[in-house]
């Protein structure tokens, strides 16, 4: 798996969670740009990502995420994907 595949998989998870097939994730995408991305949705996203990628996050890791690129880099690090 590479970062492009992570973006593709993450996009599918976002579309499922937000029930919006038009979502296209960009590295700079933030919670402010996706309607309904609140703390409850974030929990749902984290659980879905953990299940899909077979990884787990610490609360402190999630609290440091500012944009989708940060989420992708964290997933890549957890999955041990090199740059």
């Amino acid at each position: 798996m590479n970062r492009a595949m992570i973006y593709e998989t993450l996009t599918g998870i976002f579309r499922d969670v937000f029930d919006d097939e038009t979502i296209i994730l960009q590295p700079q995408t933030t919670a402010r740009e996706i309607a309904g991305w609140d703390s409850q949705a974030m929990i749902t996203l984290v659980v879905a990502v953990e299940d899909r990628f077979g990884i787990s996050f610490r609360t402190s890791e999630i609290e440091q995420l500012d944009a989708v690129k940060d989420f992708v880099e964290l997933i890549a690090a957890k999955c041990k994907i090199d740059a």
Side-chain angles (χ1 to χ4, degrees):
M1 179 169 287
N2 58 34
R3 281 171 177 71
M5 294 171 72
I6 293 173
Y7 273 102
E8 182 179 323
T9 302
L10 206 52
T11 296
I13 292 170
F14 271 68
R15 287 176 177 175
D16 287 345
V17 168
F18 294 104
D19 194 26
D20 182 351
E21 291 297 316
T22 66
I23 291 174
I24 300 171
L25 295 180
Q26 301 293 325
Q28 68 276 11
T29 302
T30 67
R32 290 180 293 280
E33 298 167 47
I34 296 181
W37 189 351
D38 56 17
S39 58
Q40 180 68 35
M42 188 63 186
I43 292 169
T44 303
L45 281 170
V46 167
V47 170
V49 169
E50 288 178 332
D51 287 347
R52 175 60 184 88
F53 289 94
I55 56 178
S56 60
F57 301 108
R58 285 180 263 137
T59 302
S60 61
E61 293 171 322
I62 298 303
E63 291 173 344
Q64 295 178 7
L65 302 177
D66 288 326
V68 167
K69 70 178 181 209
D70 302 322
F71 211 176
V72 169
E73 291 305 314
L74 182 58
I75 293 166
K78 296 276 183 179
C79 293
K80 301 187 184 332
I81 296 171
D82 295 329

